[in-house]
Amino acid sequence: MPSDFADLLAANAAFAETFDLAGFDGVAHRGVAVVTCMDSRIDPLRMLGLEPGDAKIFRNPGGHVTDQALDAMVLGVHLLGVERILVVPHTRCALASSSEEELRRKVSAASGQDASWTSWNVVTDQAAALREDVARVRSHPLIPARVPVGGFMYDVDTGLLEQLV
Ligand SMILES: [Zn+2]
């Protein structure tokens, strides 16, 4: 079967030759969970000095604390060893520098389809949105108070994290 993914499957075969994560459990070994953006400039493990197996990572456009992100944090805390939660939006995020209308227009133009019905969780004030997102996690009835929840801005130009919440 010809594959659109041939290059990636070839790389995977090489990866599997030296695969050393067999028998790994699904626990976050460093007790860390991260909610962050899908942006390809972000390497969530490396930016925190973590390795595969150390953390639970939940990504979406913008790095927002959605209902699904909350589900992931609840599972992480109660079943998967999570003891600290970081919410990490980033500088120059498309979801903080465009309006809903602009994104709909761009997707419509790129797809040639009507995208006026889409909604993107665009934010105009990232710091305020981060405060709200962190509050959503902290106030969740199934996230215990013993779990620290921090809000951080990741600078995609310097690699630095700044804690804002
Ligand atoms: Zn982003």
Side-chain angles (χ1 to χ4, degrees), residues 34 57 60:
V34 182
I57 312 288
N60 61 25

Side-chain angles (χ1 to χ4, degrees), residues 52-159:
D54 283 346
K56 296 293 167 191
I57 312 288
F58 186 95
R59 304 185 74 159
N60 61 25
H64 295 303
V65 176
T66 57
D67 288 345
Q68 268 198 322
L70 285 170
D71 289 346
M73 296 305 106
V74 169
L75 279 179
V77 166
H78 294 289
L79 304 181
L80 301 168
V82 169
E83 295 162 347
R84 286 184 288 177
I85 297 172
L86 297 86
V87 182
V88 187
H90 65 98
T91 57
R92 299 206 277 125
C93 184
L95 274 84
S97 55
S98 322
S99 68
E100 292 277 336
E101 198 38 55
E102 278 168 336
L103 280 180
R104 287 185 192 122
R105 235 187 0 254
K106 284 181 188 169
V107 173
S108 290
S111 66
Q113 306 287 324
D114 171 28
S116 62
W117 51 273
T118 56
S119 104
W120 298 101
N121 252 330
V122 160
V123 300
T124 48
D125 182 343
Q126 275 186 303
L130 182 57
R131 282 193 298 275
E132 279 172 33
D133 275 349
V134 167
R136 284 197 84 197
V137 185
R138 287 181 179 159
S139 64
H140 193 285
L142 293 173
I143 303 287
R146 67 176 158 79
V147 175
V149 182
F152 305 78
M153 185 63 62
Y154 179 70
D155 187 326
V156 295
D157 295 303
T158 65

